[in-house]
Amino acid sequence: FEIERQDDLTFLKQGIDTKNASFNKLIETIERVAVRSSDPILLTGPTGAGKSQLANQIFKLKKLNGQVKGKFVDVNCATLGGELAKAALFGYRKGAFTGADANHDGYLKEADGGMVFLDEIGELPLEAQALLLKAIEEKTFRPLGAKEDEHSDFQLICGTNRDLETAVADGRFRADLLARIDLWNFSLPGLAERREDIEPNLEYELMHFSEKSGKHITFSAEARRAFLDYALSPNTNWRGNFRDLNAMIVRMATLATGGRIDLATVKDEIERNRRPQERGDETLYGLLGADCEMRFDRFDLAQLKEVVAVCRASRTISEAGKKLFSVSRKMKKSVNDADRLSKYLARFGLDFPTLKE
């Protein structure tokens, strides 16, 4: 039994020999919960801390143990707004609304017998939250335009980088839904809090790149020392967490000559990663991580840069919203600039207090 348990722990960590004691203890608890419980799990922590990857590994572990037989459905709630959230989660019937040309199973039905991961659960609209609570408790829900309920026996993992207790106090998240999904709450630390795990994760990223590219990539001894000196330095903040680490490894491995990352490549990458951060918090790199240009279109980043500047020049989110939506707000019967701006920032994993800090 102990050998099997150690195998499960290694599986959850994707074979990475992590050294951080707190993280290893956290994984041990998650392993016990994963193999013994089918109740919802809530994963919290900063953007890029590995919530999505861990959720997927929990699902795979449950599937290996025969606890689920269906598929893993990954949903980013920050991309769902208004009626779209209900249609996407619960499905719809032909003719339910303009453009509904055929019946469509939602994410919850798709996860029947399996698991659904609702990332950024705090961004889900309130009306959809009420329907989700019923679906979690009764395993039934009614698709848009349907006359009868659908059944789906799914297991649930939720993820968020926000304080849901604050969201409840602000009226943006239902207290009863939080109580239901908060039975098992695990907070993942950022990479800066796990510096002893940078080296084993470096090995994992290199191995992963080698498998994808079909090329065996290694560091020269001096290049490896230089990169680890930078990575382990307390002056390196790792705001994008594992996304930043992955982006740096991918760039260096891509530029490697003869399968070897040399010292010059490491120095260039460190300078590339350091320069934007040294320009201060006015840059998007400091907020989104060094790989933001790989994850977002230039159009989105140019727009976001203006939004960040306006937010930092405003006292409240409502004031910022009035400035940003000064034209379009006049065309709306009901105006909620703060909510509109909050949802926009959530697409990038940001919020107004973070920008002000």
Side-chain angles (χ1 to χ4, degrees):
F1 286 131
E2 181 58 26
I3 291 173
E4 288 183 2
R5 182 165 177 270
Q6 290 302 320
D7 287 344
D8 288 349
L9 293 174
T10 300
F11 184 84
L12 284 178
K13 295 188 290 185
Q14 297 178 276
I16 302 172
D17 185 20
T18 55
K19 308 296 184 183
N20 183 271
S22 297
F23 180 76
N24 286 340
K25 185 176 180 180
L26 177 70
I27 292 297
E28 288 179 6
T29 306
I30 292 175
E31 185 271 340
R32 290 199 296 272
V33 171
V35 299
R36 298 178 188 181
S37 172
S38 60
D39 289 309
I41 293 174
L42 178 61
L43 301 178
T44 63
T47 298
K51 297 185 290 294
S52 296
Q53 292 88 337
L54 181 56
N56 199 4
Q57 290 302 110
I58 291 173
F59 163 76
K60 290 177 180 178
L61 179 61
K62 284 176 173 283
K63 194 157 191 176
L64 285 174
N65 291 334
Q67 296 166 277
V68 294
K69 296 181 179 179
K71 62 193 296 186
F72 180 76
V73 180
D74 191 342
V75 183
N76 186 343
C77 296
T79 64
L80 306 179
E83 291 296 307
L84 174 62
K86 293 190 290 183
L89 288 176
F90 310 110
Y92 54 83
R93 296 293 173 259
K94 181 178 179 180
F97 50 85
T98 302
D101 300 325
N103 292 343
H104 177 75
D105 287 337
Y107 290 128
L108 297 190
K109 185 64 176 179
E110 190 180 344
D112 189 13
M115 176 174 286
V116 62
F117 174 53
L118 299 182
D119 197 11
E120 304 304 340
I121 182 88
E123 310 309 322
L124 201 62
L126 284 169
E127 189 175 354
Q129 291 178 29
L131 298 174
L132 176 62
L133 178 61
K134 178 179 183 293
I136 295 172
E137 294 181 335
E138 302 177 12
K139 302 299 181 183
T140 61
F141 50 88
R142 182 161 298 186
L144 299 183
K147 295 181 179 179
E148 296 181 351
D149 287 349
E150 286 280 355
H151 177 271
S152 178
D153 186 16
F154 61 91
Q155 293 189 34
L156 176 66
I157 298 184
C158 299
T160 184
N161 63 357
R162 302 190 179 282
D163 184 347
L164 293 183
E165 292 283 359
T166 300
V168 168
D170 293 342
R172 293 181 287 109
F173 201 81
R174 292 180 62 99
D176 50 4
L177 178 58
L178 178 58
R180 190 67 186 86
I181 66 174
D182 198 31
L183 177 63
W184 299 107
N185 185 331
F186 301 106
S187 180
L188 274 62
L191 185 57
E193 301 173 67
R194 297 173 50 193
R195 292 187 190 270
E196 61 267 59
D197 288 341
I198 290 178
E199 187 168 6
N201 273 280
L202 171 64
E203 296 300 330
Y204 172 80
E205 295 292 351
L206 276 178
M207 180 186 69
H208 188 61
F209 182 89
S210 297
E211 289 175 351
K212 288 181 64 177
S213 66
K215 301 175 183 178
H216 182 61
I217 306 295
T218 61
F219 279 91
S220 70
E222 58 181 358
R224 183 186 180 86
R225 283 195 300 272
F227 182 78
L228 286 175
D229 285 345
Y230 167 77
L232 298 175
S233 168
N235 295 323
T236 305
N237 54 45
W238 294 112
R239 289 183 179 174
N241 295 294
F242 289 94
R243 286 179 182 166
D244 280 358
L245 178 63
N246 170 263
M248 294 185 74
I249 299 304
V250 167
R251 285 192 291 265
M252 291 188 292
T254 300
L255 297 174
T257 302
R260 181 66 63 91
I261 300 172
D262 59 23
L263 180 60
T265 302
V266 169
K267 287 183 175 179
D268 287 346
E269 178 59 30
I270 290 174
E271 183 61 22
R272 183 188 191 281
N273 197 52
R274 177 182 288 146
R275 193 183 302 120
Q277 294 182 16
E278 288 176 347
R279 289 200 293 265
D281 286 341
E282 291 304 315
T283 70
L284 298 180
Y285 295 92
L287 292 167
L288 303 179
D291 65 337
C292 62
E293 292 177 342
M294 300 174 64
R295 294 189 286 121
F296 300 104
D297 290 333
R298 290 178 65 184
F299 174 87
D300 291 325
L301 293 175
Q303 186 182 59
L304 179 62
K305 188 175 182 179
E306 172 65 14
V307 172
V308 171
V310 172
C311 286
R312 287 182 167 165
S314 305
R315 291 172 299 173
T316 66
I317 189 170
S318 296
E319 179 183 323
K322 288 179 181 178
K323 295 176 184 176
L324 291 165
F325 308 124
S326 59
V327 176
S328 59
R329 70 192 307 271
K330 297 175 183 177
M331 305 173 190
K332 295 180 175 293
K333 293 181 180 179
S334 177
V335 180
N336 190 337
D337 300 314
D339 183 62
R340 190 175 172 188
L341 178 55
S342 178
K343 288 178 178 177
Y344 171 82
L345 293 174
R347 289 170 46 198
F348 302 92
L350 300 173
D351 55 29
F352 187 77
T354 299
L355 300 186
K356 294 297 288 184
E357 289 171 5

